[in-house]
Amino acid sequence: CMGLVDIVNEKILSFVSPTIWEDLVPGDVSLVVQSGMLSGAFLIDTMSHRRMGISKVCSLGNKMDVSECEILEYLVQDPDTRVIGLYLESLVNGRKFMEICSRTDKPVVLLKGGKSEQGARAAMGHTASMAGNNEIIKGAMAQAGVIQAGDFHQMMDICRSFAAYPDPPGTEGRIAVVTYTGGAGIVSSDFIDNTDLTLASLSHASRKHLETIFPDWMPVANPIDLWPAVERHGAEKAYGAAVRAVCSDPQVDGIFIHAFSGGFALNLDIETLAEEAKAAGKPLFCWLLGKKDNALEFQERCNRAGVPVFREITRAVECMDAIFARRRASDSGKLPVDFCRVPTIETNAPGETSITVMDEYRSKQLLSKADIPVTDESIAASVDQARDQAQQLGFPVVMKGLVPDMVHKTESGLVRLNITSPEEAEAEFLSLEKAVKNSGKIIVQQQVKADVELIVGLVRDPQFGPCVMLGMGGVMAEILDDLLFRVAPLDHGEAMEMINNLKNQKLLNGFRGAQKADRKKTADILVTIGRLGWENPNFQEIDINPLIISNGKPVAVDASIVTTR
């Protein structure tokens, strides 16, 4: 591997030629990188372009006896490290990694390589087949308060933004855009609208203050287009007045200024603007255009003033969103003390494992004992029983054929819906009896009106252990691709956060006259599923698909449990 570099203390422990380290600049960001040459090359690229400074870099190599968790624990205690960035292709101990990240106040940014789908291994039910390694990691990192990056430059840009603003004061992310060009203001608004940030609604006092520099014909709005004010008063006065106005505005959490350096009269006193924003406790970000040498000089002034500067609007907005997202995340240190001690099951013999798939009826009986609501149903051993049970439940009813070790009944033609009379019940029973032959059984089930179909499940991941899944469900679960994972055990707040982060919120909020979903009861089910997986190491998978929301209340309509011995 590349080795170790401690730039703050001028220690280079690496086989790489010393001449390539000449441009090193000390800073607050430390890196852990699972790629030797990439860490060196990327470090030099970052430094030589004067984007940021670095504290320490550790190349992990093949992690033969030292893993990211050990380096992470060191950096958490390191006084020269303010932000930790990691590029990892694997996690040696996912739960330990989560536990360390959740208890540190230092921002942690992760770029995960190797995001290919791995969830199909031993996938008996929907939950496991949809549990791609990347989806579980995304959920686990969100749970631990880790910010994930999509590429190397983004990871470094987010890290340097956190180095400037590790703890922004506002949680809402209401941004004031201060620009010299209406077009850039519009584009900034578009990008902000695609994040959890919002454009700030300027207060009456801010508007009145800005009216003193605006021409009479121009209304004050956010984005704050300053070019007419620049023409009238000069750049320093116009930008100074605008930044002072938004700094004193209680409805503004952060400031995004647009700058140009070289070529025309738009010289900014970025140092004074940075001091005013810092005094107000409001993060200041800058988008920069300009002539090459002038722009580089202005960028270095921004760096010295502690203002993150970007050449692309979209990257600036991503980084603003990241620092406010960390504040919106749940408090760190909430993971249970024994979070890393997941019970494991002993197999019958070394390398020997037996898998059992509980049928729907047995699975739902177990879930019902855990206080998860399930449909009314019973086993029908004869055509007469099927008819009588259907009449007792009240039409319409559903009849299903249960075959040992079969999870996907619909695809095998073993689910019959909308049975509305005794005669239909008799006919469908006889048909299903032929389909299951002598190896299965038939259940008669209450048919539940579906306002929304969810999928809830548990899968046991090799790195993270039992993980809970929530998504939009039914036969379209894989197509809708609206799902989230969290590592068990969950508390009620984490379960509510899962529900609130589904994309299809309109369906949960009473779409087209339907009752709103009972989020509290649904969250209770998620907590229970996590507890079942945590307390029962032999539970490999739990699959509730669908969990129907009917008249606002959740009920498990179909379920399976896969156990390992």
Side-chain angles (χ1 to χ4, degrees), residues 26-27 31 81 86 120 137 168 170 177 182 192 207 215 258 283 289 305 312 326 335 343 371 374 376 427 470 479 484:
L31 302 176
T81 297
L86 305 101
I137 289 176
V177 179
I192 287 172
R207 292 175 183 275
H258 297 170
L289 290 181
E312 294 287 347
R326 185 169 183 267
L335 298 178
D371 294 326
V374 302
D376 291 336
L470 170 69
I479 296 174
L484 299 164

Side-chain angles (χ1 to χ4, degrees), residues 387-410:
R387 181 189 62 243
D388 294 343
Q389 290 165 4
Q391 288 178 313
Q392 289 172 10
L393 288 171
F395 295 106
V397 297
V398 178
M399 296 178 69
K400 299 177 182 178
L402 306 183
V403 176
D405 295 326
M406 179 181 290
V407 174
H408 305 296
K409 297 179 290 294
T410 300

Side-chain angles (χ1 to χ4, degrees), residues 118-169:
Q118 296 179 16
R121 61 192 182 284
M124 302 297 294
H126 288 91
T127 304
S129 67
M130 297 169 74
N133 179 259
N134 185 48
E135 295 302 321
I136 290 178
I137 289 176
K138 279 168 56 179
M141 294 305 101
Q143 204 170 347
V146 176
I147 301 295
Q148 282 202 263
D151 62 45
F152 289 103
H153 280 294
Q154 186 190 47
M155 179 184 77
M156 300 299 282
D157 286 338
I158 293 175
C159 282
R160 66 186 174 96
S161 298
F162 275 123
Y165 308 114
D167 195 25

Side-chain angles (χ1 to χ4, degrees), residues 15-93:
F15 71 89
V16 181
S17 171
T19 59
I20 76 166
W21 305 110
E22 293 173 356
D23 292 316
L24 296 183
V25 178
D28 300 319
V29 177
S30 289
L31 302 176
V32 181
V33 185
Q34 192 180 345
S35 175
M37 291 311 296
L38 180 60
S39 58
F42 199 73
L43 182 61
I44 298 306
D45 177 84
T46 298
M47 297 288 214
S48 62
H49 286 84
R50 297 292 188 266
R51 283 194 293 270
M52 61 187 291
I54 295 292
S55 177
K56 295 176 175 65
V57 181
C58 175
S59 175
L60 286 174
N62 60 10
K63 299 194 284 190
M64 190 175 200
D65 60 354
V66 177
S67 75
E68 61 278 352
C69 289
E70 292 160 300
I71 304 300
L72 188 60
E73 285 186 316
Y74 172 84
L75 293 176
V76 163
Q77 302 297 325
D78 178 31
D80 297 326
T81 297
R82 197 173 188 180
V83 182
I84 303 166
L86 305 101
Y87 166 70
L88 299 176
E89 292 160 6
S90 65
L91 286 167
V92 171
N93 186 334

Side-chain angles (χ1 to χ4, degrees), residues 138-246:
K138 279 168 56 179
M141 294 305 101
Q143 204 170 347
V146 176
I147 301 295
Q148 282 202 263
D151 62 45
F152 289 103
H153 280 294
Q154 186 190 47
M155 179 184 77
M156 300 299 282
D157 286 338
I158 293 175
C159 282
R160 66 186 174 96
S161 298
F162 275 123
Y165 308 114
D167 195 25
T171 59
E172 295 183 53
R174 300 167 297 182
I175 306 300
V177 179
V178 181
T179 185
Y180 61 90
T181 161
I186 292 170
V187 171
S188 298
S189 301
D190 289 341
F191 284 127
I192 287 172
D193 190 56
N194 287 326
T195 68
D196 289 325
L197 302 171
T198 58
L199 275 180
S201 297
L202 301 178
S203 68
H204 178 73
S206 292
R207 292 175 183 275
K208 284 296 182 183
H209 186 80
L210 289 167
E211 284 174 0
T212 63
I213 62 169
F214 272 46
D216 294 339
W217 53 265
M218 186 174 184
V220 175
N222 184 24
I224 303 167
D225 187 350
L226 286 179
W227 187 251
V230 170
E231 291 281 11
R232 297 179 73 194
H233 307 288
E236 287 194 17
K237 182 176 180 179
Y239 269 81
V243 170
R244 279 192 297 275
V246 297

